[in-house]
Amino acid sequence: MRSGFTSNGKISALYDNNFYIRELYYPYLGQYNHSVGGYFKIGIWHDGKFTWLDQINDKDKKIYMDNLIVNAEIEWYNIKVKFSDVAIFSHSVIIRKVDVKGEGYIRIIFYHDFKLNGNEIGDTAFYDPELDSILHYKDNTWFLIGSSHKLYEYTTGRRDKKEVLNDCEDGTLNKNSIAQGSVASAISIAYPSFYYFIIAGETFDHVVSIYKEIKENPEFHYAKNKFYWNSITSEFTDNLAKISLAIMLGHIGDNGAVPASLDTDILKFNLDTYAYVWPRDAALTAYVLDMAGYSSFTRKFYDLVFHKLFENGYLFQKYNPDGTWGSTWHSWTARTKKSFNIQEDETSTVIWAFWNYFTKSRDYDMLKNIYHTIRDAADFMVKFRDEKLKLPLETFDLWEEKLGVHTYTVASVYAGLKAASNFANVVGDEENMKKWNDVAEEIKNSLKNYMFDKERGIFYKFINIDDGKITSVDKTVESSILGIVTFDVFDINDPIVTSSINEIINKLWVKNIGGLARYENDSYQRIEGDYNGIPGNPWIITTMWLAQYYAKKKDMNKAKELLAWAEKHSISGLLPEQISPFNGGPLSVMPLLWSHAEYLKTYLMLK
């Protein structure tokens, strides 16, 4: 879990509760992490005493977000230090503004825990006296660390032997000028106010040219970026809405990649992260940004997904930020005549979200270039169905756990085909307009006829099918049934919607802390404690789905209560994936992009 995030679409950093950079990505958001498992520590030396920030009492540290500017206020032995970081939009640079107040001799020490390109093999770190800066490089990845003011001291050394880390703690750096292999570095600065830079580039000359430009007027670069973000979020009065908007925009890479989360703390569970592009998560984020009027940003995502990611009419589970396939656990043995190892809702959601983009942007230029891809995707959804039941065949659910025909997926396919039919109407493709609309209606009818449990008054989580026969049903009460609301499959006042939502609230509301669990007996990310009577950890996403249901029902008070619940559980302006059902603390990754998207969507629906 993280307490801060800054990004410009090419370089990004995440901060822990000590204001240490824990992830540093360049040139793609989510690829590559140049500090995997590391800590960019900060130390203070004051009249012979030294401390790392993590050794200071939490009550004397304040970390908070101001749009995409990460701030820290530190108090220690009658001195106050304020740090303020921003990734500037003009270059791959993070600028840190530092202000120190207090009597005596004070030095700030910055420790650089690089693992270039995601590993610590074959790195070089050296001090350049002409630039008065430290540089790290490997292959075509370069980082320059410098300041607006003269460095007091510097050093480099073996990272794996903790040479630099130990050297910092006496407050005096030994000025070792070069190291190679597994390396780290540190610099110290002894001025009351100064700027500190982390500059990324492809060559020595590249980072040096940027450094010279930034150093010439660092205040200008810092101030214009602060003003830029204030301008973007100025229409919102709600602070978490402002930060959510900034975080969502900050997750859009220059190449259009939109990773789900850049927090790598999740590594300890399965040696993998959320730093991938799930087309569903990205499309839902783009949908909300388009609602808010920021289509100029989301165009990059649609350009990537339609021109590079779609293959044979469908989308893979997830992608690396450079557009290559990401890791997967969806077995190839699921590729049978009745099933496929994808999540079909990712394909359908992209088409549905793109229609929203088009209605906001009127981007006919993009439509004319990608309509053939929309046609292929719609034809895939039409053909990938059981001939008798008229339902989609089996794929994995949005939680990536179960193979079957899922209520949420069916709802999204309905919406995707409706959107495709709308596009066909725009371009005059009358035959497909009718076909895709007719198939969408068939799917809607089959969803109601075969997947609604009349006895319990709720839709099944999923069913399994084989050649026109339903072979099994899963009666687990599932929050994603709210997909029928998200995708407007049925009238919001239809009794089958009302009864389904009532059952979801009855079985999934976490009574002692609030919030909606994903489904009954959800074991993902459970923590130590007595879960008796608790269906699972409450999620921000699912709770916001419920708030959106209330908003569509015009029950604004209940929707606002749930919005306030989410805001209550934010930390430093960041929203996690899940909440502890025992103390309300954050669980899993933070920030989770999808959580912020659903929060902002709910906020916009209530404006």
Side-chain angles (χ1 to χ4, degrees), residues 320-456:
N320 294 311
D322 64 0
T324 56
W325 278 12
S327 60
T328 187
W329 51 91
H330 293 344
S331 174
W332 255 244
T333 59
R335 294 191 170 203
T336 69
K337 65 181 181 67
K338 67 169 188 171
S339 64
F340 203 42
N341 64 333
I342 62 169
Q343 298 164 41
E344 191 182 6
D345 72 283
E346 302 212 82
T347 297
S348 52
T349 301
V350 167
I351 305 302
W352 168 78
F354 186 64
W355 174 250
N356 180 58
Y357 165 85
F358 180 77
T359 60
K360 307 294 185 185
S361 67
R362 313 311 295 173
D363 193 345
Y364 284 89
D365 183 60
M366 176 172 276
L367 177 60
K368 74 180 183 182
N369 291 320
I370 57 90
Y371 179 70
H372 66 284
T373 307
I374 294 173
R375 183 191 62 225
D376 291 346
D379 283 343
F380 172 81
M381 289 185 277
V382 168
K383 294 173 184 175
F384 188 70
R385 292 189 303 151
D386 183 274
E387 291 183 5
K388 298 176 183 176
L389 299 175
K390 305 300 182 184
L391 287 166
L393 294 174
E394 296 180 2
T395 59
F396 287 92
D397 62 321
L398 79 164
W399 309 130
E400 310 183 303
E401 296 172 339
K402 303 289 187 179
L403 187 66
V405 181
H406 304 269
T407 292
Y408 181 91
T409 301
V410 176
S412 74
V413 171
Y414 164 83
L417 284 169
K418 282 286 189 178
S421 178
N422 290 337
F423 282 119
N425 183 47
V426 169
V427 301
D429 185 357
E430 295 182 4
E431 181 180 348
N432 279 323
M433 178 187 70
K434 184 179 185 307
K435 179 177 72 173
W436 297 337
N437 184 73
D438 289 348
V439 171
E441 292 300 324
E442 285 181 351
I443 289 172
K444 174 181 177 178
N445 291 334
S446 292
L447 174 62
K448 182 176 182 178
N449 292 334
Y450 299 119
M451 299 190 68
F452 182 72
D453 186 345
K454 295 178 182 178
E455 182 180 340
R456 296 184 305 135

Side-chain angles (χ1 to χ4, degrees), residues 152-443:
Y152 184 80
E153 290 173 329
Y154 65 86
T155 196
T156 68
R158 289 284 295 272
R159 178 190 178 280
D160 54 329
K161 293 185 177 181
K162 298 185 178 180
E163 292 175 349
V164 175
L165 201 59
N166 293 333
D167 185 32
C168 291
E169 296 187 349
D170 63 0
T172 302
L173 304 180
N174 68 16
K175 296 187 177 180
N176 183 47
S177 63
I178 193 165
Q180 62 88 31
S182 172
V183 298
S185 68
I187 61 173
S188 59
I189 302 173
Y191 290 88
S193 294
F194 60 89
Y195 290 90
Y196 159 94
F197 321 125
I198 298 176
I199 300 171
E202 298 178 358
T203 65
F204 174 81
D205 289 342
H206 186 196
V207 294
V208 169
S209 66
I210 296 172
Y211 172 61
K212 290 179 178 178
E213 178 186 338
I214 299 299
K215 187 170 183 177
E216 194 173 288
N217 194 348
E219 172 61 27
F220 166 74
H221 290 282
Y222 174 85
K224 77 175 181 180
N225 280 272
K226 185 170 185 176
F227 188 85
Y228 171 79
W229 284 110
N230 285 339
S231 296
I232 286 178
T233 64
S234 60
E235 69 173 274
F236 296 147
T237 56
D238 178 274
N239 187 57
L240 186 53
K242 286 176 178 282
I243 294 174
S244 292
L245 173 62
I247 286 173
M248 291 162 69
L249 294 175
H251 274 76
I252 300 178
D254 277 2
N255 70 332
V258 185
S261 178
L262 301 176
D263 174 6
T264 62
D265 258 6
I266 200 76
L267 270 170
K268 58 180 174 278
F269 295 102
N270 58 3
L271 290 180
D272 209 343
T273 72
Y274 283 28
Y276 297 96
V277 179
W278 275 269
R280 170 206 315 105
D281 301 37
L284 291 169
T285 298
Y287 184 96
V288 178
L289 288 173
D290 292 330
M291 282 178 65
Y294 295 90
S295 299
S296 58
F297 289 88
T298 62
R299 191 184 201 279
K300 292 187 290 187
F301 163 67
Y302 290 116
D303 186 61
L304 173 70
V305 75
F306 283 115
H307 286 112
K308 188 168 184 178
L309 304 189
F310 261 105
E311 295 180 81
N312 303 314
Y314 61 87
L315 291 163
F316 190 63
Q317 177 192 4
K318 58 189 169 90
Y319 299 84
N320 294 311
D322 64 0
T324 56
W325 278 12
S327 60
T328 187
W329 51 91
H330 293 344
S331 174
W332 255 244
T333 59
R335 294 191 170 203
T336 69
K337 65 181 181 67
K338 67 169 188 171
S339 64
F340 203 42
N341 64 333
I342 62 169
Q343 298 164 41
E344 191 182 6
D345 72 283
E346 302 212 82
T347 297
S348 52
T349 301
V350 167
I351 305 302
W352 168 78
F354 186 64
W355 174 250
N356 180 58
Y357 165 85
F358 180 77
T359 60
K360 307 294 185 185
S361 67
R362 313 311 295 173
D363 193 345
Y364 284 89
D365 183 60
M366 176 172 276
L367 177 60
K368 74 180 183 182
N369 291 320
I370 57 90
Y371 179 70
H372 66 284
T373 307
I374 294 173
R375 183 191 62 225
D376 291 346
D379 283 343
F380 172 81
M381 289 185 277
V382 168
K383 294 173 184 175
F384 188 70
R385 292 189 303 151
D386 183 274
E387 291 183 5
K388 298 176 183 176
L389 299 175
K390 305 300 182 184
L391 287 166
L393 294 174
E394 296 180 2
T395 59
F396 287 92
D397 62 321
L398 79 164
W399 309 130
E400 310 183 303
E401 296 172 339
K402 303 289 187 179
L403 187 66
V405 181
H406 304 269
T407 292
Y408 181 91
T409 301
V410 176
S412 74
V413 171
Y414 164 83
L417 284 169
K418 282 286 189 178
S421 178
N422 290 337
F423 282 119
N425 183 47
V426 169
V427 301
D429 185 357
E430 295 182 4
E431 181 180 348
N432 279 323
M433 178 187 70
K434 184 179 185 307
K435 179 177 72 173
W436 297 337
N437 184 73
D438 289 348
V439 171
E441 292 300 324
E442 285 181 351
I443 289 172

